Amino acid sequence: MLTRRAALCGAAALALMIASPLRAEEGPDPTLNAKAQTDLTAGLERVKAKLLTPPLVMDHDQVAKGGPKVVQFTMTIEEKEIVIDGEGTTFQAMTFDGSMPGPTMVVHEGDYVELTLVNPETNTMPHNIDFHAATGALGGAQLTFVNPGEQVTLRFKATKNGAFVYHCAPTGMVAWHVVSGMSGTLLVLPRDGLKDDQGNPITYDRAYTIGEFDLYVPKDETGKYIDYETPGDAYADTVEVMKGLIPTHVVFNGAVGALTGEKAMTAKVGETVLMIHSSANRDTRPHLIGGHGDYVWERGKFNNPPQKGLETWFVAGGSATVATYKFLQPGIYAYVNHNLIEALELGAAAHFKVDGAWDNDLMMQVSAPGPIVGE
Amino acid sequence: MSIFKYGTVAAISLTAMAALQGFSPLPDDAALVRIEASSVIYREPGEFLDRGTPVNGPLLTIEQNAPISIMRNQVTRGEYEACVQDGACLALDTKGDAGLPVVGVNFNDAVTYASWLSAKTGENWRLPTDREWALAAGSRFKDDAYTEVSDPANPSKRWMAIYAAESQAQEAIDPTPMPIGHFGTNEHGLVDLSGNIWEWTTTCYTRHHVTESGQTQVTENCGVRVAEGSHRALMIAFFRDPKAGACSIGIPPANLGIRLVREDKGLLQWLGL
């Protein structure tokens, strides 16, 4: 249905372009202006980041070593069919680098994020990226619009610290691309690391990314989920379901059960885990069953003191929340959206498997279940 | 053998095309407008980058290479429904008066309708190219360059200028389909052109780069097509409802509809091949 080609044209097309005035004289000579802007990244160290598929988070320093760097990332957009539940419901996903959410990118405040965004010829649609962490050009969206068969490189300075959502934002299709999977988190750490409200350092042993997605899958007359061949085929029906605002699935990391069983997140007793929870479209409220949020940056921004000892915390749609928890007991912990209908009926549940020794002081079964004998 | 045959046909067509033009049956069908010659000041469609900076496409005067036969009116809902009844076209999302122009069709619907009509009539119907549409539209063709502002040192100047120009140009268009003739006739006799229904063309979205070395690089994305009307819109080919927005820039069209071109019976048909 869709064909594309990239071609090098010769003199004819060039002549066309020269034939008419292409750039109007407007204000002072723009090249002078351009020269006046020194490239402040010129002398900086450039490092290539190695992104990992969520829930894993790329290797990073919790406290920055040395001065600001240019951190180079490459993400390839993949449109692909995935299965989103145990019933085999298919979904025409659009993804950054093949995963829902896209990989979590980590830099430090003052670093430059330099992203090369690739839209392979095998895709059917134009895409772009809006970084909530970036300043200007609709978060970079206006400068990153790429057709299938194109790539673009954007650089921006990470001037604000915190966990920030990034998402696709092509005009006219923003909501659809976002609820089709195109979001992720950029973590901009303070150069001197995370701190509590007293300024004491907070460190962590592991970091995990949980991306929550509200999905809107159309059903046929018999109530069966429709299997579409391409995103384009799914488009019109999907938008109708979207406009009802009731998701058919609410999932972590792209599918019911993406973070349970063999794929459950792991930790050991005594370890502190950093939990980054993004939700690009819709408010949510994570809760760690049997545990807590020791330090929680509800809006994900580290210049605000973290809240302490929370039971459930809030993630505003279009943001990422960061929480730490030091696991004190072994066992299986459920990490859920505490709208329990969404967690248990629609899919927003994950598990932590925690190894270690049990602490009777924290909890013990004083008397096992048995016949009622009174006190 | 086959090379010889094609060579012969090519030779005949090259030498005799002009003379044979008169033998092509001229459509006298009242449903068609035959435009023998026209010219228009035409802006090349797509996006143009000069060494990375967005600029306007070239503006040039274009002329017809050959006469063109194009539907006087937009395809009506009733005409489209006949294709649906035949099992060729996909059903429309909404109901409406069969006599009104059809709206709510995407590019693929329009192409399907054209091939169904071709099969039905034994003629060759197709969507126009953007150039053909512009030539047929004549005085109703609108340059889609909103501004000449383009500053390599400050991309926001162009965004601001386009925003201002678009806001100014933005007229509240009532999207309700109107009876045929409501939007008048252009100098060639085409009815309702550039009213509240945009018409699909076959022209793909292209991005032209003039690189540092002065070469022109063209990327084409046929998942996005040009829809023409009171302004040019780049539309995702599977969009039936354009109100969700044009693909990159521009005010969204009010509706998407169909007007087809009928190919003249060419030399091959005349020879009975």
Side-chain angles (χ1 to χ4, degrees):
Chain A
M1 178 182 78
L2 306 169
T3 58
R4 264 159 255 114
R5 86 188 142 79
L8 275 170
C9 293
L14 180 62
L16 272 183
M17 301 218 39
I18 291 166
S20 68
L22 291 176
R23 184 179 296 152
E25 294 305 321
E26 200 265 336
D29 181 353
T31 49
L32 287 178
N33 190 359
K35 272 179 197 157
Q37 291 206 22
T38 320
D39 181 359
L40 297 176
T41 68
L44 299 185
E45 185 190 349
R46 301 176 76 84
V47 290
K48 278 197 164 62
K50 208 173 151 215
L51 291 168
L52 297 178
T53 304
L56 301 180
V57 175
M58 62 179 267
D59 277 345
H60 60 272
D61 296 319
Q62 295 185 31
V63 173
K65 290 179 182 148
K69 299 173 181 61
V70 178
V71 188
Q72 296 173 290
F73 299 88
T74 299
M75 289 205 285
T76 301
I77 295 157
E78 276 183 54
E79 296 170 8
K80 61 179 187 182
E81 183 174 294
I82 60 168
V83 173
I84 54 167
D85 61 22
E87 285 76 58
T89 303
T90 60
F91 183 70
Q92 291 297 326
M94 306 178 207
T95 67
F96 287 108
D97 240 22
S99 61
M100 287 171 64
T104 294
M105 308 159 76
V106 186
V107 299
H108 289 92
E109 189 177 340
D111 285 349
Y112 293 82
V113 175
E114 190 172 284
L115 170 74
T116 297
L117 186 64
V118 182
N119 188 0
E121 185 127 6
T122 42
N123 287 340
T124 62
M125 261 176 294
H127 298 281
N128 63 3
I129 191 164
D130 165 0
F131 282 100
H132 286 188
T135 306
L138 305 181
Q142 279 175 298
L143 297 175
T144 52
F145 190 81
V146 275
N147 286 296
E150 293 182 323
Q151 69 171 51
V152 67
T153 302
L154 176 78
R155 186 176 66 217
F156 68 91
K157 193 172 188 173
T159 55
K160 297 247 186 296
N161 74 44
F164 293 87
V165 159
Y166 63 77
H167 62 87
C168 193
T171 309
M173 307 189 281
V174 184
W176 178 48
H177 279 232
V178 169
V179 300
S180 295
M182 297 194 83
S183 69
T185 301
L186 167 64
L187 185 63
V188 183
L189 291 168
R191 295 205 80 78
D192 54 354
L194 301 178
K195 301 275 173 63
D196 70 10
D197 55 344
Q198 307 296 316
N200 302 309
I202 296 172
T203 60
Y204 44 91
D205 303 295
R206 296 163 189 259
Y208 289 114
T209 283
I210 300 101
E212 185 164 338
F213 290 88
D214 41 326
L215 307 178
Y216 303 83
V217 187
K219 292 175 181 161
D220 65 17
E221 332 51 80
T222 68
K224 212 170 136 262
Y225 289 117
I226 302 173
D227 177 35
Y228 296 96
E229 272 185 33
T230 67
D233 293 340
Y235 168 73
D237 294 347
T238 303
V239 170
E240 284 313 306
V241 183
M242 283 161 55
K243 287 196 284 197
L245 294 173
I246 301 176
T248 56
H249 299 72
V250 179
V251 300
F252 293 157
N253 292 28
V256 177
L259 299 175
T260 61
E262 293 288 305
K263 290 172 278 186
M265 296 173 282
T266 59
K268 292 189 176 72
V269 168
E271 282 184 342
T272 297
V273 174
L274 187 80
M275 297 171 281
I276 306 161
H277 193 121
S278 69
S279 184
N281 193 57
R282 197 165 166 273
D283 299 345
T284 184
R285 58 213 63 74
H287 171 87
L288 179 64
I289 303 179
H292 302 94
D294 287 339
Y295 295 97
V296 181
W297 292 268
E298 270 208 328
R299 297 305 174 110
K301 307 304 171 281
F302 306 122
N303 283 346
N304 306 303
Q307 291 175 275
K308 286 176 284 187
L310 297 193
E311 59 176 316
T312 298
W313 45 102
F314 181 70
V315 185
S319 77
T321 290
V322 177
T324 66
Y325 182 61
K326 182 177 180 181
F327 283 95
L328 303 175
Q329 291 282 42
I332 303 297
Y333 290 73
Y335 177 92
V336 298
N337 166 345
H338 210 285
N339 176 327
L340 296 168
I341 303 162
E342 296 185 354
L344 305 171
E345 301 296 334
L346 301 186
H351 293 150
F352 279 98
K353 290 187 288 192
V354 180
D355 289 328
W358 183 264
D359 181 347
N360 273 334
D361 184 47
L362 277 171
M363 184 185 279
M364 68 175 291
Q365 190 173 47
V366 177
S367 146
I372 298 167
V373 293
E375 281 176 30
Chain B
M1 182 61 191
S2 63
I3 290 167
F4 173 71
K5 184 176 157 192
Y6 287 130
T8 309
V9 171
I12 293 172
S13 69
L14 277 174
T15 53
M17 188 57 98
L20 287 169
Q21 206 71 51
F23 287 90
S24 298
L26 290 173
D28 53 1
D29 190 342
L32 284 173
V33 168
R34 174 90 171 165
I35 306 172
E36 297 289 342
S38 71
S39 83
V40 72
I41 297 170
Y42 181 71
R43 179 80 64 182
E44 285 287 334
E47 286 190 83
F48 291 78
L49 296 174
D50 181 9
R51 290 159 188 86
T53 303
V55 293
N56 293 333
L59 193 64
L60 52 156
T61 302
I62 58 167
E63 286 175 21
Q64 275 181 246
N65 299 326
I68 184 172
S69 298
I70 187 162
M71 287 178 169
R72 184 179 304 278
N73 301 326
Q74 292 167 333
V75 171
T76 64
R77 177 177 283 269
E79 288 165 339
Y80 183 87
E81 289 291 357
C83 174
V84 177
Q85 293 304 315
D86 257 13
C89 289
L90 290 177
L92 298 168
D93 296 329
T94 55
K95 302 216 181 311
D97 187 335
L100 295 176
V102 68
V103 294
V105 285
N106 64 28
F107 174 79
N108 305 318
D109 295 327
V111 169
T112 307
Y113 178 77
S115 32
W116 170 81
L117 187 64
S118 299
K120 204 81 183 161
T121 57
E123 296 165 335
N124 188 3
W125 295 91
R126 60 168 176 81
L127 288 172
T129 64
D130 185 65
R131 275 181 177 240
E132 289 171 330
W133 192 94
L135 286 163
S139 58
R140 293 205 180 189
F141 176 72
K142 200 164 162 196
D143 181 8
D144 70 340
Y146 286 96
T147 178
E148 290 290 336
V149 172
S150 174
D151 181 349
N154 185 350
S156 74
K157 285 191 181 173
R158 188 169 174 86
W159 303 333
M160 302 283 278
I162 289 174
Y163 184 82
E166 283 185 348
S167 306
Q168 262 176 12
Q170 191 134 30
E171 298 159 40
I173 297 177
D174 180 355
T176 315
M178 301 306 279
I180 288 167
H182 179 84
F183 294 101
T185 303
N186 79 349
E187 66 270 30
H188 299 302
L190 273 81
V191 177
D192 294 335
L193 211 97
S194 304
N196 67 0
I197 301 173
W198 272 245
E199 298 168 14
W200 286 103
T201 77
T202 56
T203 300
C204 299
Y205 167 88
T206 47
R207 178 133 61 194
H208 304 251
H209 290 260
V210 176
T211 60
E212 293 295 342
S213 60
Q215 262 187 318
T216 303
Q217 220 174 1
V218 182
T219 325
E220 189 177 58
N221 177 8
C222 290
V224 176
R225 305 274 173 159
V226 175
E228 278 289 6
S230 67
H231 62 77
R232 185 186 267 157
L234 292 166
M235 292 300 307
I236 297 281
F238 55 74
F239 273 25
R240 281 180 151 187
D241 176 7
K243 276 161 256 156
C247 125
S248 58
I249 52 164
I251 310 144
N255 291 296
L256 291 166
I258 309 172
R259 185 192 306 265
L260 298 178
V261 163
R262 194 180 77 184
E263 288 274 15
D264 286 348
K265 285 217 160 84
L267 177 66
L268 293 181
Q269 283 107 321
W270 185 78
L271 291 173
L273 294 172

